[in-house]
Amino acid sequence: MRAEKGGKGEGLANWFDGRVGLFKMGKAQLRKVFPDHWSYLIGEIALYTFIIIILTGVYLTMFFNPSMREVVYHGTYRPLNGVRMSEAYQSALNISFDVRGGLLMRQIHHWAAILFVASMLVHMMRTFFNGAFRKPREINWLSGAGLLILGMFDGFLGYSLPDDLLSGTGMRFLEGAILSVPVVGTYLVFFIFGGQFPGEIIIPRLFTFHVLLLPGIMLGLLAVHMILLVYHKHTQHMGPGRKNMNIVGPPLWPVYVAKSGGFFFLVFGVNVVMSAIAQVNPVWLYGPYRPDRVSTDAQPDWYMGFSEGLIRLMPGWEINLWGHTLVLGVFIPLMIFPVVLLIIWLYPFLEAWVTGDRREHHFNERPRNSPSRTAFGAAWMALYAVLLAAGGNDLIATHFDLSLNAITWTCRIAFFVLPAIVFVITKRWCIGLQRRDREKVLHGRETGIIKRLSHGEYIEIHEPLTQAERYTLTAHDQQDPLEPPAEIDEAGVPRKASRRHKLRVRLSRSYFGDRGQIPKATVEEYRRHQAEHEPHEEREPTH
């Protein structure tokens, strides 16, 4: 009997399967297990907002004219009628007032960009504090950090495209920073702007970078990031049944797909609601850019605010050498700007060098179990917050009726002092939490119930932890610090350790020495403690 033929769709699927093996590959991937924890949703927010940016960006591209040719505006927005402006700014006004749904699309696009960078930064910090960047995921960390940095610069280029007074002020800021580069600064400005600022080609160039070059690179990095994520699988939190080489959680199909699909529409809906009720970047209020004007309350988006904070904190130092002026007040912040990003970007390799750890790690480490790393990340965040505050020192002064100079000097001092204070406090905090976990494993959980024994002693009843809870608190690894080499080798010859090795030993002691971690409770200690501390009721004195 001849088998019944399937539909056209099934036939087409069979045709593809016979040539590329989609069914077998798809079946294996659809059963892939994903750990279930709320913190993983942060990375999904970054992915979904990037998709929203691409979709809305394609729509806006069809109506935006990236031209700096001057025209006289005669359009719907009456306050600007008769004003000379670039075609880029005119098209931004037309999108906002004449294109159906154009203003909402602009708002969704801008809010999605803000949420994209914010979610990437939070996702990156979650990965950092959990130690999920360790072998074999260093490339994942580099690609994710690359997405964050490119997203920041692409956002800067994006809000510069309308050629309004606010974005033009930002471009003037960029021009001043480039001019501060010794020897080649002037040539770089002429190359970028095609002549004297602002030139006539900067908007078309920014448009090409914003919609083609940077998004293309970001798509490539995203593909690498997702492929490695599938290959290495997710890291997971410690718990019963979870080992370094397995994953516990729901399968991709149908559980994870259904949850992720619903979460995508939730993110999209929240983004649309924010765009509908919270106005961002109203370019019609700023007016077209003119080199002889500066917008009041000129502030970049939050993710670029730390760069402006560096400029505002730096004193206006200048040095005259051989007839040339070096504007150190701008050049030094320009050099510090990438350092702030590179320090956290290259941290995995610094930690691997300090620890000498070459093992694979598929567990998320609790932040308290790595006090030095957690303190370093908290100090970096404190530095970032100080620079953000410095970037808005004028707004802080006007809104809170404070002295601008007082705010600037406070931020200058905090730039050096606050990260150190945060580092020390965070490290001591983590060590205290480690000590608390150790006591909890040995003594149990405090119940707050006070009991009086027959001989008059008052004790607090402790509730023993379950075996699963004890496992979760003690499953992490603790390394021993590196030891300095012996002063005399086997042949009796004095051995001199290099400065590099001495630095590595000191850092290793900071991570894993007596001041870097509290030894976790072992099985032997737990059993000995249980034997020595039997219930008080059984040890009451007899008369």
Side-chain angles (χ1 to χ4, degrees):
M1 184 175 177
R2 194 173 180 182
E4 185 178 353
K5 292 184 178 181
K8 294 182 179 180
E10 184 178 347
L12 182 61
N14 288 330
W15 186 89
F16 272 105
D17 183 57
R19 287 152 181 81
V20 296
L22 287 178
F23 287 176
K24 294 180 180 179
M25 181 175 62
K27 184 178 180 181
Q29 295 302 320
L30 289 177
R31 300 307 299 172
K32 186 175 290 294
V33 175
F34 283 83
D36 195 8
H37 194 268
W38 66 266
S39 62
Y40 299 116
L41 299 179
I42 302 172
E44 292 188 25
I45 294 175
L47 174 62
Y48 298 153
T49 49
F50 184 69
I51 295 174
I52 296 171
I53 291 172
I54 296 298
L55 295 177
T56 54
V58 170
Y59 182 86
L60 295 174
T61 301
M62 294 187 291
F63 302 99
F64 183 73
N65 183 8
S67 172
M68 297 189 71
R69 188 174 70 88
E70 282 197 347
V71 295
V72 178
Y73 179 73
H74 296 287
T76 304
Y77 190 64
R78 294 182 179 275
L80 290 178
N81 274 339
V83 176
R84 298 185 65 85
M85 60 185 63
S86 66
E87 288 186 331
Y89 185 67
Q90 182 188 45
S91 65
L93 295 178
N94 292 337
I95 291 173
S96 301
F97 297 107
D98 299 319
V99 175
R100 186 178 296 275
L103 179 57
L104 181 61
M105 284 293 179
R106 280 192 61 243
Q107 298 286 285
I108 295 174
H109 188 74
H110 200 122
W111 270 116
I114 294 174
L115 293 176
F116 173 60
V117 178
S119 57
M120 281 198 299
L121 183 60
V122 176
H123 177 61
M124 188 175 178
M125 289 295 99
R126 196 279 303 174
T127 303
F128 179 86
F129 288 120
N130 284 148
F133 55 79
R134 294 173 292 177
K135 183 182 177 180
R137 293 178 176 82
E138 297 94 338
I139 299 179
N140 283 60
W141 174 266
L142 292 178
S143 60
L147 280 169
L148 173 62
I149 295 173
L150 289 179
M152 293 169 58
F153 281 102
D154 204 26
F156 173 76
L157 299 183
Y159 70 67
S160 300
L161 286 178
D163 198 31
D164 58 285
L165 188 56
L166 180 62
S167 65
T169 303
M171 293 306 298
R172 173 68 87 177
F173 178 88
L174 176 64
E175 182 228 8
I178 298 174
L179 281 174
S180 68
V181 179
V183 182
V184 297
T186 305
Y187 300 98
L188 288 176
V189 167
F190 271 74
F191 173 75
I192 293 173
F193 292 94
Q196 192 69 35
F197 179 85
E200 297 181 353
I201 63 172
I202 185 60
I203 296 299
R205 285 184 173 179
L206 294 182
F207 184 76
T208 302
F209 275 77
H210 179 69
V211 305
L212 183 62
L213 181 60
L214 293 186
I217 298 175
M218 292 173 69
L219 282 172
L221 289 176
L222 180 61
V224 171
H225 195 77
M226 298 305 295
I227 290 172
L228 290 176
L229 176 66
V230 173
Y231 177 73
H232 295 308
K233 303 179 179 61
H234 268 292
T235 55
Q236 61 181 342
H237 295 279
M238 293 179 181
R242 301 173 184 180
K243 300 178 181 179
N244 198 44
M245 299 306 293
N246 76 344
I247 297 290
V248 177
L252 175 63
W253 178 267
V255 179
Y256 202 81
V257 170
K259 293 172 65 175
S260 296
F263 189 61
F264 168 75
F265 290 107
L266 179 63
V267 172
F268 206 139
V270 171
N271 197 342
V272 172
V273 171
M274 292 174 59
S275 304
I277 65 176
Q279 180 174 268
V280 61
N281 198 26
V283 295
W284 55 89
L285 297 181
Y286 307 136
Y289 177 67
R290 286 180 49 178
D292 60 334
R293 294 182 179 179
V294 175
S295 174
T296 58
D297 292 346
Q299 300 290 324
D301 278 335
W302 70 270
Y303 47 85
M304 294 298 290
F306 81 98
S307 61
E308 185 160 339
L310 285 167
I311 297 290
R312 297 191 183 192
L313 288 185
M314 187 68 189
W317 294 346
E318 292 185 358
I319 298 178
N320 295 314
L321 292 175
W322 304 294
H324 298 279
T325 301
L326 299 181
V327 187
L328 300 182
V330 180
F331 178 67
I332 292 179
L334 183 64
M335 296 295 100
I336 297 177
F337 170 74
V339 173
V340 175
L341 299 175
L342 288 176
I343 285 177
I344 203 72
W345 192 17
L346 300 178
Y347 177 85
F349 304 98
L350 170 64
E351 182 171 311
W353 175 71
V354 172
T355 62
D357 189 2
R358 298 294 182 265
R359 299 169 300 170
E360 289 193 3
H361 297 274
H362 301 286
F363 270 130
N364 286 322
E365 192 172 25
R366 301 175 77 196
R368 67 184 63 179
N369 292 332
S370 183
S372 295
R373 179 204 302 145
T374 303
F376 182 88
W380 185 89
M381 294 175 65
L383 176 63
Y384 199 92
V386 168
L387 295 178
L388 282 179
N393 58 356
D394 55 339
L395 296 182
I396 296 175
T398 55
H399 282 67
F400 295 96
D401 195 22
L402 299 173
S403 168
L404 180 63
N405 288 334
I407 296 173
T408 301
W409 274 104
T410 300
C411 291
R412 284 175 178 173
I413 296 172
F415 178 85
F416 298 99
V417 176
L418 187 61
I421 295 175
V422 170
F423 182 91
V424 173
I425 293 176
T426 304
K427 188 171 182 178
R428 298 307 305 170
W429 193 357
C430 291
I431 292 176
L433 291 173
Q434 282 189 6
R435 187 177 291 109
R436 177 175 175 269
D437 287 345
R438 175 183 171 85
E439 294 296 321
K440 188 184 293 185
V441 170
L442 295 177
H443 296 279
R445 184 182 294 106
E446 296 179 355
T447 63
I449 301 174
I450 305 300
K451 183 177 180 180
R452 182 183 180 186
L453 302 182
S454 59
H455 61 282
E457 179 184 359
Y458 288 90
I459 63 170
E460 181 182 7
I461 304 299
H462 285 70
E463 178 186 354
L465 301 182
T466 64
Q467 185 175 358
E469 291 173 330
R470 291 197 298 269
Y471 174 82
T472 301
L473 294 178
T474 58
H476 60 281
D477 295 327
Q478 286 190 324
Q479 292 184 236
D480 295 324
L482 297 177
E483 296 295 336
E487 297 181 357
I488 300 177
D489 60 15
E490 296 80 358
V493 178
R495 177 184 295 164
K496 293 184 179 180
S498 64
R499 293 182 179 179
R500 183 173 178 270
H501 187 76
K502 290 180 179 179
L503 174 62
R504 185 182 180 189
V505 170
R506 285 196 295 268
L507 291 175
S508 178
R509 287 179 175 175
S510 174
Y511 271 74
F512 308 117
D514 295 337
R515 297 183 179 181
Q517 62 184 5
I518 299 297
K520 64 181 181 180
T522 62
V523 177
E524 293 75 15
E525 287 178 324
Y526 175 76
R527 291 174 178 172
R528 184 169 57 252
H529 183 274
Q530 292 299 104
E532 295 175 354
H533 297 79
E534 296 178 355
H536 285 76
E537 292 81 358
E538 300 178 6
R539 299 189 293 107
E540 293 185 30
T542 58
H543 300 282

